[in-house]
Amino acid sequence: MEVIDTVVGAIQDFIAEKGKAAIGAIIALAVLIIALFSLLFLQCSEAKKNRPVKTVESPVSVESLFKPRSDAMEDGYYLSRPQNLSWDEDEVERWFEEPDEGRIRDLSKANDSLVDGILGAVQ
């Protein structure tokens, strides 16, 4: 109860000292608070209303995005290609390269530095 009396007394002293300016400021603050609450209430009530969903047609037809079918291609070629799980001898000769000692050392150093970077912060 004392706290309320103290606050009311402080407000009365402020109004007595400042006069019309204090009353104007209090009225402006009250109007601002009422306007904010009414705006908030209007926004919330508009959000609840069912609004029709606008649909926009694509300017480009979906069919033009895909390559046309060809007799030379298998069905589903564009979505996925058959995977060979093992190489034949020609692919081994063409793509596989036996690593030399220098490359193995470089790879080992790179791996060691990665492990040191990961484990460096561990106690």
Side-chain angles (χ1 to χ4, degrees):
M1 203 62 165
E2 284 183 29
V3 175
I4 295 174
D5 292 336
T6 306
V7 171
V8 170
I11 292 174
Q12 287 175 347
D13 292 342
F14 180 72
I15 291 174
E17 289 176 11
K18 301 296 181 187
K20 292 181 182 179
I23 294 173
I26 291 172
I27 291 173
L29 184 63
V31 169
L32 180 66
I33 290 172
I34 292 170
L36 287 175
F37 277 120
S38 63
L39 248 168
L40 182 65
F41 179 73
L42 286 174
Q43 290 294 327
C44 290
S45 65
E46 286 180 10
K48 291 180 182 178
K49 293 180 182 176
N50 292 332
R51 296 181 184 170
V53 177
K54 296 180 181 177
T55 56
V56 179
E57 291 186 28
S58 175
V60 178
S61 67
V62 177
E63 289 80 20
S64 67
L65 298 177
F66 297 104
K67 292 183 179 180
R69 288 187 173 267
S70 171
D71 293 335
M73 299 278 183
E74 297 177 13
D75 283 341
Y77 175 79
Y78 297 111
L79 300 177
S80 64
R81 291 184 282 179
Q83 298 178 353
N84 294 334
L85 298 179
S86 61
W87 288 357
D88 59 12
E89 290 299 320
D90 293 334
E91 288 175 327
V92 170
E93 289 295 322
R94 182 173 181 190
W95 299 111
F96 185 72
E97 184 177 322
E98 189 73 37
D100 58 352
E101 288 296 320
R103 286 188 179 179
I104 291 176
R105 251 184 286 117
D106 293 341
L107 182 61
S108 178
K109 286 180 185 177
N111 285 338
D112 290 342
S113 66
L114 283 174
V115 170
D116 290 342
I118 292 170
L119 298 178
V122 176
Q123 294 180 353

